[in-house]
Amino acid sequence: MPAPPHIVTGPADEPEPPSRTLLRLLAAGARPEQLAAVEGDAEAREDALVVRGVFDAHRRRESELAALVDTARDLAAAQDPAGVLEAIVRRARALLGTDVAYLTLYDPARGDTFMRTTDGSVSIAFQNVRLSLGDGLGGLAASTHKPYWTADYMADGRFNHTRSIDGAVNDEGLVAICGTPLLVEEAFVGVLFAANRTPRPFTREEVALLGSLAALAAVSLVQTRAAAETTQALAALSAAHETVGRYTAGVERAAAAHDSFTKIVLAGGGVEDLTAALGDLLDASVTFLDAESTDDTCPPSMLDVVSATHATGRLAHDGSRWAVTVSAGPEVLGTLVLERGGDLDDADERTIERAALVTALILLFARAEADAEQRASSDLVADLMTGRGDLASRTARARGRRLDPDEPHVVLVVRGAGDQPRRSLVLSTQSALDGAGLVGEHDGDVVAVIGAGEAGPPARQVAQRLGRRARVTVGAAGPTSELAALPDLHAEAARTVAALTALGREGDGAAAADLGFAGLVVGSSPQIGLFVDTVLGPVADYDRRRRTELLTTLEAYFAAGCSPRHAADSLHVHVNTVAQRIERISALLGSDWQQPERSLEIQLALRLRRLLPDA
């Protein structure tokens, strides 16, 4: 382990503070073991290691995204199918960080698949193995056209183990394997694999990335095949000038599409830029429908063609419309729909498919950036809700997220019902707040800090907006202008959510003050006066204006077991007087004031009223 750097001392030969040493090491790109070796402030050292981990994660994600862009660029330039396959296998191994990557192709004559290209393999037996459809992991992926993955292939009973396949896998020393099928147009042509020689679980993100590479390979094979077919057609029809011109124009459009799409990706363009470029290339109107589009939100004129491409995963045609599914492995990211008069030739259709692939890459890049942004938001939310770290640092980070600590803020705790994905709930909450405030995940819930002067209305508004799609309960607390008070507000908002659920009010939004007597229990600072005024206000106002004794009558009525006669005796009035007062109370409080829940609140308010200074 490298020795920690020399500690710089000040004019009085005092040691440099550990926090400053850690900051200097972070700025210099020090390794984790160097940070861990700094003695002194354990909390600062832990924070520095976390920051270092975030730096490493960002660099790793940038490397993965760069590899995807390089892969797309290399495949776009490749003319030889063999070169395409080698590039895909090589990039699959680098992108997933596995020991071995390989690709099998389907042999129609023998009805099985054979090893075509490997990277990282050392076994001759493995490099020559053949897989029957349905046998082993690859055979199952080939027969079902679905991806499969396992952390320990030999111990996984889902697969049909054969002596030849298991022998080759053992000879190569493989343990963890992930395989996804290659589909060219509507036909199965092979399987792309990434494998490790030690146990390793494959995440869904890694499976999706391997699926993206498989899709890249499939589309590139289609295009190289189409290019070869175009060359043969041009040679065969050299005497037909009009036909040659048509094919030449298609090739030129394909080249223009390649250049245009590559520039958009490298310049960091978005889906809007790509749809505009595709529309210009093919003289058409292009629409992108995201994955959230349903039969209810999809334009009726596009519904049939969109349903057709979702059913097959391939380019679909319906009159003057073409649609293609935008996907990353098994995940559907959206749909491209193109409208124009006249037909499209093969080159134009391949251009649409290439546009779908590039759209998927753009969406994955955008998702990666959004995920990084959301992780930073969640980290800040967690620090604010726990009071972790230095207050000055939290204040500076809050200002950096456009959260002014000097303004009043409210804390919302948003809790979904069932197994609603947390990431989806975070995005929905951000949308419900119109992008205002700070939203993140903390302690199993979605937590938001928003600028507001009171807590109840925004909680009800968020619950109402989110309730259009899913049942969501929202608790709120605040306001406060002190960041140091946010942990207490979070605890109160979480108790309010629990109280709403316990009271059978799931799907609602409220602050503690909105819960009646329950709010006195869950609130951090019970507002007894507000509760009493809310429950008894109409009766108290009537007594003040008319100099009556309705509140006294209420107390006597409940003390007498709700018997007008016994209440009259204790008040030394006629029973008819009590009956008349009860009628007036009913007019002021509503006819349901003697129902159990209302009656409990009224009796509690009468008792608490005696605690108030002016009672």
Side-chain angles (χ1 to χ4, degrees):
M1 177 185 299
H6 176 68
I7 302 299
V8 179
T9 60
D13 292 331
E14 295 181 357
E16 183 181 47
S19 58
R20 183 172 180 82
T21 301
L22 290 167
L23 287 174
R24 182 163 49 75
L25 287 173
L26 281 173
R31 293 187 297 276
E33 57 266 25
Q34 292 178 280
L35 299 174
V38 176
E39 299 180 352
D41 191 336
E43 184 176 357
R45 184 169 61 250
E46 180 182 351
D47 290 343
L49 289 170
V50 171
V51 171
R52 173 65 201 198
V54 172
F55 288 167
D56 291 343
H58 286 177
R59 279 195 290 268
R60 186 164 55 252
R61 186 170 295 277
E62 290 172 358
S63 176
E64 291 174 353
L65 295 179
L68 275 176
V69 172
D70 291 343
T71 302
R73 183 164 50 241
D74 291 349
L75 296 182
Q79 300 297 323
D80 177 20
V84 169
L85 300 180
E86 292 172 359
I88 283 290
V89 170
R90 185 171 60 254
R91 290 294 169 79
R93 182 187 177 196
L95 195 58
L96 272 71
T98 56
D99 298 325
V100 182
Y102 52 99
L103 186 146
T104 61
L105 290 182
Y106 178 56
D107 185 346
R110 297 181 55 172
D112 63 1
T113 61
F114 63 97
M115 193 70 70
R116 176 61 179 82
T117 304
T118 65
D119 188 59
S121 171
V122 296
S123 168
I124 299 299
F126 181 77
Q127 295 167 10
N128 291 280
V129 71
R130 301 185 74 98
L131 289 79
S132 299
L133 298 187
D135 290 340
L137 185 148
L140 187 58
S143 62
T144 63
H145 296 184
K146 295 179 180 179
Y148 288 90
W149 59 96
T150 176
D152 189 347
Y153 172 76
M154 288 300 178
D156 200 326
R158 292 178 299 166
F159 310 114
N160 183 25
H161 293 267
T162 67
R163 179 177 300 177
S164 61
I165 296 175
D166 287 3
V169 170
N170 275 326
D171 197 46
E172 187 64 47
L174 300 183
V175 177
I177 305 175
C178 178
T180 187
L182 272 68
L183 301 175
V184 176
E185 295 179 345
E186 297 181 358
F188 163 76
V189 296
V191 181
L192 177 62
F193 299 85
N196 235 39
R197 294 189 175 94
T198 55
R200 163 189 173 164
F202 288 93
T203 65
R204 292 191 178 275
E205 290 78 11
E206 290 173 329
V207 175
L209 285 174
L210 192 65
S212 297
L213 289 171
L216 278 169
V219 173
S220 297
L221 286 172
V222 168
Q223 293 202 329
T224 53
R225 180 183 298 174
E229 292 173 353
T230 300
T231 301
Q232 295 173 1
L234 288 174
L237 300 174
S238 59
H241 178 74
E242 182 178 352
T243 303
V244 172
R246 183 172 64 251
Y247 274 95
T248 301
V251 172
E252 291 175 350
R253 288 196 301 276
H258 163 69
D259 292 341
S260 179
F261 296 163
T262 300
K263 290 178 181 178
I264 290 172
V265 171
L266 296 180
V271 174
E272 297 83 0
D273 300 312
L274 185 132
T275 55
L278 181 61
D280 291 341
L281 287 166
L282 300 184
D283 190 23
S285 172
V286 182
T287 303
F288 174 73
L289 304 174
D290 61 29
E292 300 297 325
S293 297
T294 64
D295 291 350
D296 296 331
T297 59
C298 178
S301 61
M302 300 179 181
L303 188 57
D304 289 342
V305 72
V306 169
S307 299
T309 185
H310 285 179
T312 64
R314 314 306 302 173
L315 182 68
H317 181 212
D318 179 19
S320 60
R321 297 180 186 86
W322 288 259
V324 62
T325 301
V326 177
S327 61
E331 180 183 5
V332 174
L333 303 177
T335 312
L336 280 178
V337 181
L338 182 143
E339 298 182 81
R340 83 166 198 180
D343 294 330
L344 295 177
D345 58 26
D346 289 344
D348 292 337
E349 291 184 353
R350 299 292 82 76
T351 295
I352 298 175
E353 292 180 337
R354 178 181 287 269
L357 176 61
V358 177
T359 301
L361 289 175
I362 291 174
L363 291 173
L364 289 175
F365 297 160
R367 175 186 293 180
E369 293 178 358
D371 286 346
E373 179 76 8
Q374 189 53 54
R375 281 194 297 273
S377 295
S378 293
D379 289 344
L380 177 55
V381 165
D383 290 346
L384 292 175
M385 295 306 107
T386 59
R388 185 169 54 212
D390 180 71
L391 178 60
S393 174
R394 298 200 307 273
T395 301
R397 291 166 61 196
R399 293 187 187 279
R401 307 290 296 185
R402 300 184 299 278
L403 192 70
D404 188 351
D406 299 326
E407 296 294 327
H409 288 86
V410 166
V411 174
L412 303 180
V413 172
V414 182
R415 187 169 297 172
D419 57 352
Q420 184 176 4
R422 196 71 47 75
R423 183 177 185 276
S424 174
L425 187 55
V426 168
L427 296 177
S428 298
T429 302
Q430 289 175 332
S431 177
L433 293 172
D434 297 324
L438 178 67
V439 181
E441 298 179 45
H442 174 62
D443 201 20
D445 295 314
V446 174
V447 178
V449 183
I450 63 172
E454 52 183 329
R460 289 188 289 273
Q461 182 182 41
V462 170
Q464 182 179 12
R465 288 187 176 182
L466 295 181
R468 297 168 186 169
R469 291 193 176 183
R471 198 174 189 185
V472 172
T473 308
V474 183
T480 182
S481 299
E482 300 290 337
L483 288 187
L486 291 181
D488 291 337
L489 294 189
H490 171 258
E492 179 178 334
R495 291 195 299 270
T496 303
V497 169
L500 286 169
T501 302
L503 294 172
R505 293 175 57 180
E506 287 186 338
D508 199 357
D514 302 324
L515 300 182
F517 71 90
L520 301 177
V521 178
V522 302
S524 300
S525 301
Q527 301 183 34
I528 296 176
L530 177 61
F531 172 73
V532 171
D533 186 61
T534 300
V535 175
L536 301 177
V539 179
D541 290 343
Y542 190 89
D543 276 351
R544 280 193 294 269
R545 293 196 313 270
R546 303 295 182 90
R547 297 185 178 181
T548 55
E549 296 183 1
L550 298 184
L551 287 176
T552 302
T553 301
L554 264 178
E555 289 180 325
Y557 180 71
F558 284 122
C562 298
S563 168
R565 179 173 299 280
H566 292 162
D569 291 342
S570 67
L571 292 171
H572 305 293
V573 298
H574 195 276
V575 67
N576 289 341
T577 301
V578 172
Q580 292 171 0
R581 292 178 182 177
I582 294 299
E583 289 181 4
R584 174 55 58 188
I585 290 171
S586 296
L588 293 171
L589 296 182
S591 60
D592 65 338
W593 69 274
Q594 296 192 70
Q595 294 299 318
E597 186 171 345
R598 286 289 310 279
S599 174
L600 175 62
E601 285 198 347
I602 292 170
Q603 293 180 65
L604 179 61
L606 288 169
R607 290 180 177 271
L608 292 175
R609 176 172 170 270
R610 296 181 178 276
L611 301 177
L612 299 177
D614 56 350

